[in-house]
């Protein structure tokens, strides 16, 4: 079978396609899956582009969607022909005992889904939403579930509340769509007026160009009558956190998800304390969260926004397109 690997010492120049032996038939509790699609996340870009990040020969990509080929003894809930999608933390099935690192994450601590076949424990997958293509389903694992956990699991989103999404990447667009499906209002930011028009078309009630309005936290407050938003999808990190705190209401919920502007920086603790806000870091979610999210997708009819699709042998070009920052929604890799 074909699979993409990261050769030592790593970096996009060392992505190589290799022919590997076929995966074995499933043992007890396992399923064998023909992978058909993956999608790119910022985490995948970090893993693939930074030298010495992962072991020599690591197979990248955390997201994987495909078709069950065969099932092992004792497997329940899956049958040959089922469409399935992988989990980001296959070891975190449910409950509060969550992982604190990426040692069990596909494409990082263990091999990922830039390959044609996998044989894994059945618990490493859930069913895909009914009627979704593999390309669509591949967007769930990381981006979709992160947005769901931020707003619904952790945030307790309610109809009538207001959500601020930063940028137009996969998590932010999913958050916009989830918020609208649940009856919330959305304010969106971007540096591109063209992208802001597209988020308006998806249902955002108000938009802000953060380059022309650098004090966008105050603008968000003005747009909400001085109150601020109930939820912030904070994907920027150190350079945007101060404005996110200014944009959120007293007692608001800020989901700290991304590090697009850096991995560390000053936290304006006095402002956070004065506004009595909840700043909560999170990394994706559990298998139980994913099954609940899939049920919600089936119920609402929400479908993801896909920017472009690349074949597996153009994975480097896909990462370069992602790094350029011109995408809107998710970048998909067909396998």
């Amino acid at each position: 079978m074909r699979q993409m690997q990261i050769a030592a010492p790593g970096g996009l120049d060392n992505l190589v396609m290799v022919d590997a032996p076929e995966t074995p038939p499933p043992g007890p509790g396992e399923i064998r899956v023909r992978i058909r699609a993956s999608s790119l996340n910022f985490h995948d870009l970090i893993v693939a582009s930074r030298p010495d990040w992962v072991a020599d020969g690591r197979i990248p990509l955390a997201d994987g969607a495909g078709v069950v080929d065969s099932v092992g003894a004792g497997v329940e809930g899956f049958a040959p022909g089922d469409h399935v999608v992988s989990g980001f933390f296959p070891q975190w099935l449910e409950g509060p005992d969550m992982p604190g690192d990426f040692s069990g994450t596909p494409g990082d601590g263990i091999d990922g889904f830039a390959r044609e076949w996998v044989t894994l424990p059945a618990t490493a997958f859930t069913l895909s939403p009914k009627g979704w293509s593999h390309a669509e389903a591949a967007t769930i694992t990381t981006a979709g579930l992160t947005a769901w956990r931020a707003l619904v699991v952790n945030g307790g989103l309610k109809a009538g509340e207001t959500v601020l999404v930063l940028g137009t990447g996969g998590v932010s667009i999913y958050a916009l769509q989830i918020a609208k499906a649940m009856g919330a209002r959305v304010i969106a930011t971007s540096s591109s007026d063209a992208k802001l028009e597209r988020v308006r078309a998806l249902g955002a009630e108000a938009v802000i160009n953060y380059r022309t309005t650098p004090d966008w936290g105050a603008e968000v407050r003005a747009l909400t009558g001085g109150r601020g938003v109930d939820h912030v999808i904070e994907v920027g990190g150190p350079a945007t956190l101060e404005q996110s705190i200014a944009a959120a209401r007293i007692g608001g919920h800020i989901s700290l998800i991304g590090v697009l502007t850096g991995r560390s920086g000053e936290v304006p603790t006095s402002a956070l304390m004065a506004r009595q806000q909840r700043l909560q870091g999170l990394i994706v979610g559990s298998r139980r969260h994913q099954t609940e999210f899939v049920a919600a997708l089936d119920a609402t009819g929400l479908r993801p926004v896909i920017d472009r699709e690349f074949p597996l042998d153009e994975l480097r070009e896909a990462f370069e397109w992602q790094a350029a920052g011109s995408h809107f929604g998710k970048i998909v890799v067909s396998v």
Side-chain angles (χ1 to χ4, degrees), residues 56-146:
D56 182 26
R58 174 67 74 231
I59 302 169
L61 303 186
D63 303 353
V67 183
V68 176
D69 170 73
S70 52
V71 301
V75 170
E76 297 181 354
F78 295 104
D82 283 345
H83 289 200
V84 295
V85 58
S86 64
F88 189 86
F89 289 122
Q91 74 276 34
W92 184 21
L93 302 185
E94 60 182 326
D97 190 15
M98 61 196 74
D101 57 35
F102 300 110
S103 60
T105 297
D108 191 333
I110 61 176
D111 283 333
F113 296 98
R115 49 178 161 166
E116 293 178 324
W117 292 89
V118 296
T119 299
L120 293 170
T123 51
F125 293 90
T126 69
L127 294 173
S128 298
K130 297 179 179 66
W132 279 36
S133 69
H134 299 305
E136 290 175 319
T139 69
I140 289 173
T141 300
T142 304
L145 188 56
T146 297

Side-chain angles (χ1 to χ4, degrees), residues 6-14 48-53:
I6 305 172
L12 297 184
D13 289 338
N14 290 300
S49 60
R50 292 193 177 181
D52 301 319
W53 184 278

Side-chain angles (χ1 to χ4, degrees), residues 38-309:
S38 184
S39 75
L40 302 189
N41 305 284
F42 187 63
H43 180 82
D44 298 305
L45 179 61
I46 293 174
V47 169
S49 60
R50 292 193 177 181
D52 301 319
W53 184 278
V54 292
D56 182 26
R58 174 67 74 231
I59 302 169
L61 303 186
D63 303 353
V67 183
V68 176
D69 170 73
S70 52
V71 301
V75 170
E76 297 181 354
F78 295 104
D82 283 345
H83 289 200
V84 295
V85 58
S86 64
F88 189 86
F89 289 122
Q91 74 276 34
W92 184 21
L93 302 185
E94 60 182 326
D97 190 15
M98 61 196 74
D101 57 35
F102 300 110
S103 60
T105 297
D108 191 333
I110 61 176
D111 283 333
F113 296 98
R115 49 178 161 166
E116 293 178 324
W117 292 89
V118 296
T119 299
L120 293 170
T123 51
F125 293 90
T126 69
L127 294 173
S128 298
K130 297 179 179 66
W132 279 36
S133 69
H134 299 305
E136 290 175 319
T139 69
I140 289 173
T141 300
T142 304
L145 188 56
T146 297
W148 173 258
R149 182 181 168 201
L151 289 176
V152 179
V153 179
N154 293 351
L157 178 68
K158 299 178 179 64
E161 291 186 327
T162 304
V163 175
L164 172 65
V165 300
L166 307 188
T168 57
V171 173
S172 296
I173 295 300
Y174 251 120
L176 185 160
Q177 293 177 293
I178 292 168
K180 295 302 299 180
M182 298 187 68
R185 297 178 65 247
V186 176
I187 300 172
T189 72
S190 174
S191 62
S192 164
D193 288 335
K195 289 183 178 180
L196 290 174
E197 287 305 310
R198 293 185 68 182
V199 295
R200 276 193 189 276
L202 288 173
E205 282 82 2
V207 298
I208 303 169
N209 187 314
Y210 63 79
R211 292 206 186 278
T212 57
T213 308
D215 191 14
W216 47 266
E219 179 65 13
V220 170
R221 295 266 289 279
L223 289 168
T224 55
R227 180 176 182 270
V229 298
D230 300 283
H231 305 268
V232 180
I233 302 301
E234 171 52 78
V235 298
T240 55
L241 183 56
E242 182 177 6
Q243 292 295 319
S244 290
I245 291 171
R249 68 168 172 85
I250 294 174
H253 178 229
I254 302 172
S255 296
L256 186 59
I257 295 166
V259 290
L260 296 177
T261 65
R263 296 174 58 82
S264 63
E266 182 178 342
V267 176
T269 51
S270 61
L272 187 69
M273 179 182 65
R275 297 187 64 74
Q276 302 182 66
Q277 294 163 342
R278 177 158 56 107
L279 176 64
Q280 184 166 7
L282 72 144
I283 305 173
V284 199
S286 69
R287 186 175 191 269
R288 173 61 64 86
H289 295 151
Q290 184 160 307
T291 59
E292 292 170 349
F293 180 40
V294 169
L297 292 169
D298 283 333
T300 61
L302 185 157
R303 303 297 275 258
V305 175
I306 294 176
D307 178 83
R308 283 187 62 178
E309 188 168 341

